[in-house]
Amino acid sequence: MSSTPIKHSLETEKLTKSFGGVRAVDEATVSFQEGRINALIGPNGSGKTTFFNCVTGMIRPDSGTVTYRGRDVTGHAPHRIARAGLGRSFQLCRIFPRMTVLDNVLAGVRSAGVVHRLRGAHNPDDIARARELLARVGIEHLERSEARDISYGQQKLLELAGVLMAEPDTIMLDEPAGGVNPALIGRIATLVRELNAEGRTFIIVEHNMELVMSLSHHVVVFDRGRPIASGAPADMQNDPRVLEAYLGV
């Protein structure tokens, strides 16, 4: 009996980005499994966030290709990539600090123009959905608060709700547990598992190894701008290439 072939949501081929003489991403060829929780780990400075930025159009790669669900999206603008179904959060939350929590989520409406979104031109269905998402992430009681007045962990949840408002198929999270208390880390992990069970693919950059190993199905390890190993979390914990990258052993 043959096993079901693994589908890949996101693939890169020889993706490269240099800053001056430093190759932050160095001919990275990597695949992430569709319908799974993928982790992207590696030492500080290994190119993970730059890789995210190249994939999502925040910066243009020098060379190589990015393919999302069979479609070449290399160098496309961030809004085009988002419309293709690829959403992301950032290492440092990107929110509108002087807007309310509810309006921050409404800013993620895929079909609306940015000017209309920021002017508060929303239909009742969008408002109802935004409130549902706030309830889902557990901060519905804060909808009238300005985003700058809620805790950093709550801002992480708010950013995730805004990403979900655009209805992405794949969600890239850059250090979702960074600076967050253990209770909210647990809440984020539960949300990721629930959303994955509903069919969403995740690609998560994270330094919290306990979270990575308990949450992910597939782990890709970066070092010096390129993948050096990939596989099941348990295998990566004992892979000599990974130990060398992290510990120099």
Side-chain angles (χ1 to χ4, degrees):
M1 185 182 211
S2 61
S3 59
T4 303
I6 295 172
K7 294 182 179 180
H8 294 111
S9 174
L10 176 70
E11 300 173 279
T12 67
E13 180 72 26
K14 294 187 177 180
L15 194 68
T16 300
K17 181 63 183 180
S18 297
F19 298 101
V22 178
R23 280 198 173 189
V25 178
D26 186 9
E27 296 190 348
T29 296
V30 63
S31 300
F32 297 96
Q33 297 177 0
E34 185 169 355
R36 310 287 275 174
I37 301 171
N38 302 268
L40 177 59
I41 66 172
N44 286 327
S46 59
K48 303 180 299 295
T49 294
T50 302
F51 177 84
F52 262 33
N53 287 339
C54 286
V55 165
T56 57
M58 302 302 296
I59 57 177
R60 190 176 184 88
D62 299 329
S63 60
T65 59
V66 180
T67 304
Y68 178 61
R69 306 189 84 179
R71 176 183 175 188
D72 187 345
V73 296
T74 311
H76 287 193
H79 70 275
R80 289 185 62 192
I81 293 174
R83 286 175 184 168
L86 187 59
R88 74 165 290 184
S89 71
F90 291 84
Q91 189 173 348
L92 298 175
C93 289
R94 292 198 178 186
I95 56 174
F96 297 102
R98 294 180 180 273
M99 287 170 55
T100 67
V101 165
L102 179 62
D103 281 339
N104 265 271
V105 180
L106 287 166
V109 176
R110 181 190 291 185
S111 59
V114 66
V115 173
H116 285 172
R117 293 201 303 266
L118 296 179
R119 286 178 178 171
H122 306 293
N123 66 53
D125 289 342
D126 288 339
I127 293 171
R129 174 161 169 72
R131 286 182 167 141
E132 287 175 5
L133 290 171
L134 287 175
R136 180 154 200 184
V137 302
I139 56 172
E140 70 275 18
H141 59 293
L142 298 170
E143 72 165 64
R144 295 186 179 181
S145 301
E146 288 191 354
R148 61 180 176 172
D149 293 331
I150 65 177
S151 74
Y152 188 68
Q154 290 167 337
Q155 289 177 3
K156 290 268 191 178
L157 293 169
L158 172 59
E159 189 178 34
L160 177 56
V163 170
L164 291 171
M165 194 69 186
E167 301 179 329
D169 303 303
T170 298
I171 300 173
M172 303 176 73
L173 302 179
D174 196 350
E175 296 194 28
V180 177
N181 69 51
L184 285 181
I185 290 174
R187 178 63 183 149
I188 291 169
T190 297
L191 283 166
V192 169
R193 290 190 183 98
E194 290 175 352
L195 291 162
N196 175 247
E198 294 167 11
R200 286 188 173 90
T201 299
F202 280 86
I203 304 170
I204 302 174
V205 165
E206 185 52 65
H207 288 289
N208 183 326
M209 287 299 103
E210 182 179 354
L211 178 63
V212 166
M213 296 304 163
S214 66
L215 190 62
S216 56
H217 303 115
H218 179 73
V219 177
V220 175
V221 185
F222 258 43
D223 187 32
R224 299 177 185 178
R226 62 170 62 189
I228 59 167
S230 64
D235 294 336
M236 293 300 95
Q237 284 182 299
N238 300 308
D239 190 299
R241 295 166 296 180
V242 178
L243 294 174
E244 181 179 5
Y246 270 101
L247 305 174
V249 297

